[in-house]
Amino acid sequence: MAQLTFNIPKISCSHCVETITQALHPLVGVNQVSVDIPSKQLEVNYDKTRITIDRMREALAGINYPVASVQTESGEKRPDRRGAECSCCGA
């Protein structure tokens, strides 16, 4: 099992948490999802033989939560484009 942290600037409320959880949790290979609103971070425990980081990134972009960066277990940080406001309520 592997773990990574996504930085998602658009996370701002409990509805964001619910939307992200509902999008990722059913994906084959995703074992656990934990969203922290204040830090705007999403931690995912996953099986890297069953799902890729890019597939999770695509799922998040598909629900309008683009990933700013990803930090893997090894500490590698991969930047991505930045989002602005909350996807669900505009906050």
Side-chain angles (χ1 to χ4, degrees):
M1 182 156 356
Q3 183 174 345
L4 57 84
T5 302
F6 290 108
N7 180 326
I8 305 174
K10 289 186 174 186
I11 295 173
S12 63
C13 68
S14 61
H15 186 271
C16 296
V17 173
E18 184 178 334
T19 302
I20 290 168
T21 302
Q22 288 177 354
L24 288 184
H25 196 69
L27 297 176
V28 173
V30 173
N31 299 315
Q32 185 176 3
V33 175
S34 176
V35 183
D36 183 65
I37 297 169
S39 69
K40 299 185 181 298
Q41 291 188 334
L42 162 66
E43 289 187 5
V44 180
N45 288 324
Y46 68 105
D47 180 344
K48 56 172 105 175
T49 65
R50 302 188 81 194
I51 191 165
T52 65
I53 294 171
D54 287 337
R55 173 65 186 106
M56 289 182 274
R57 235 184 205 167
E58 289 169 10
L60 291 164
I63 58 168
N64 201 23
Y65 286 92
V67 174
S69 65
V70 178
Q71 185 166 349
T72 63
E73 285 178 306
S74 65
E76 176 187 3
K77 198 167 189 175
R78 302 179 191 179
D80 205 346
R81 63 177 197 228
R82 298 212 173 254
E85 71 284 339
C86 175
S87 295
C88 67
C89 62

